[in-house]
Amino acid sequence: MAKPLRSHERRVTLDEVERVRNLNTAARGIRAAQAGLMTNVGLVLVKLIAGIVGNTYALIADAVESSVDIFSSLIVWGGLSIASRPADEHHPFGHGRAEALAEAAVSLMLLGAACGIAIVAVREIVTPHQVPAPFTLAVAGGVILVKEALFRKVFNVGAETGSTAVKADAWHHRSDAITSAAAFLGIGVALWGGPGWESADDYAALVAAAFIAANGLLVLRPTIHDLMDRTPEGPVVAQVAAAAAAVPGVRAVEKLKMRKLGMEYYVDIHVQADPLISLRDAHTISGKVKHAIREAVPVVSGASIHMEPFEEAVPNQADGTGPRAAREGGP
């Protein structure tokens, strides 16, 4: 018959499992960033050469945007590598903030690329130039297919791992696909219209810059929320509360605070128990609550459990409700 694990042994096992899970998650995100990096290096060269030889600024702007993608992939790679490091003496809550900082850097690079492309596009519009070469249309079409496929692959990895930085990198690929689509449309109009329509691809680059800026703002907003410890969205908070309330001996869940650090969540929860139980029993219940939370919601890496005495709700004169909402039942 197997010997049952003691409470501290069970806790160590959970920590080891969590550490392995975090390393595997970070590795998947890093591989996705590496795939994007290698693809973008090739696309930058193709688009830059085609844009210069084929006389189309839309493709040159697209190459600039892809070069920003290269730096963003490197930033995401570095951010995930740092975020996967375990907690230490100087960083007791781990290094998860590095993931959010990487995402913020990627967002700001998107906004910077959009501004740069818009400025040069306006300059090209007021400067007369030749109609783009026909082969540049095929180059733009091929880039659209490659970047859209890369966006879907990287975004799925970000969704599965819960990494906002990987998702930000994916949206970088989507913005690149949008830029290429605008270039495709602009080149097509310039070729179809002939003389007098030479600047169509420049207007396309200007429109693409607006889409890139919008994507940058879209990615930056949740990053700011994470850096400011906003309560996580979705069902994760309710799942944590339900797991804690289901532990035998817990009479009520009074307060629950959660924050996201990288790909992990930290919980601060106040639970109530019978006021007549011993301190040892209260400590045992708190350990069970922590174990239940981390077992029910694996993305929770740490939990602080505050034990408080349970008090029956006393109706007040104002609205007939008690000062605390307590769960019925319990020992």
Side-chain angles (χ1 to χ4, degrees):
M1 181 177 180
K3 182 180 178 181
L5 290 174
R6 297 174 182 173
S7 60
H8 71 279
E9 293 175 331
R10 182 180 298 111
R11 190 159 54 247
V12 169
T13 301
L14 282 172
D15 290 338
E16 291 176 348
V17 171
E18 182 68 19
R19 189 176 299 113
V20 172
R21 185 186 70 84
N22 290 340
L23 290 174
N24 290 337
T25 299
R28 291 191 63 192
I30 291 172
R31 286 196 297 270
Q34 290 173 337
L37 177 64
M38 296 175 64
T39 302
N40 282 326
V41 169
L43 290 178
V44 166
L45 295 175
V46 171
K47 290 187 287 188
L48 185 60
I49 294 173
I52 295 174
V53 175
N55 192 43
T56 167
Y57 175 68
L59 273 183
I60 296 176
D62 205 2
V64 172
E65 208 277 335
S66 291
S67 66
V68 174
D69 283 352
I70 293 175
F71 289 104
S72 71
S73 294
L74 289 172
I75 291 173
V76 171
W77 185 355
L80 290 173
S81 298
I82 296 174
S84 63
R85 296 176 183 175
D88 55 37
E89 180 181 357
H90 301 290
H91 305 88
F93 292 100
H95 301 77
R97 290 289 188 211
E99 198 254 0
L101 291 173
E103 181 187 3
V106 171
S107 303
L108 293 175
M109 290 180 70
L110 276 171
L111 294 174
C115 292
I117 291 172
I119 291 172
V120 180
V122 172
R123 187 189 68 186
E124 290 294 312
I125 289 173
V126 299
T127 303
H129 56 79
Q130 298 177 352
V131 176
F135 76 88
T136 57
L137 193 64
V139 172
V143 171
I144 294 171
L145 297 177
V146 173
K147 295 300 290 187
E148 181 62 22
L150 191 59
F151 162 77
R152 294 176 183 273
K153 178 180 178 180
V154 176
F155 187 83
N156 287 337
V157 172
E160 292 171 3
T161 60
S163 171
T164 51
V166 174
K167 289 181 181 178
D169 199 31
W171 279 109
H172 230 151
H173 297 310
R174 168 59 67 82
S175 69
D176 204 2
I178 293 173
T179 308
S180 298
F184 182 87
L185 180 61
I187 294 170
V189 171
L191 291 172
W192 176 77
W197 293 83
E198 295 88 352
S199 296
D201 68 315
D202 302 320
Y203 281 104
L206 195 60
V207 172
F211 277 104
I212 294 171
N215 279 334
L217 293 174
L218 184 66
V219 173
L220 185 60
R221 182 180 178 184
T223 306
I224 293 176
H225 290 325
D226 288 346
L227 290 173
M228 296 181 66
D229 290 335
R230 180 184 179 182
T231 300
E233 298 179 348
V236 64
V237 177
Q239 291 171 353
V240 169
V247 173
V250 173
R251 302 292 296 273
V253 175
E254 184 182 28
K255 298 178 182 177
L256 173 57
K257 299 178 182 178
M258 289 186 66
R259 57 177 173 170
K260 188 174 185 291
L261 291 177
M263 293 170 284
E264 305 171 357
Y265 292 89
Y266 283 81
V267 174
D268 190 309
I269 186 170
H270 292 235
V271 297
Q272 297 179 355
D274 193 321
L276 300 181
I277 64 175
S278 66
L279 180 60
R280 181 184 299 275
D281 291 338
H283 176 70
T284 300
I285 292 175
S286 70
K288 291 180 178 179
V289 170
K290 180 181 293 186
H291 177 76
I293 290 174
R294 296 185 63 184
E295 192 173 58
V297 189
V299 291
V300 172
S301 179
S304 296
I305 315 299
H306 304 268
M307 298 299 301
E308 297 184 357
F310 172 74
E311 298 178 5
E312 295 289 349
V314 180
N316 59 42
Q317 298 177 353
D319 56 9
T321 61
R324 296 177 178 176
R327 182 172 61 88
E328 295 185 359

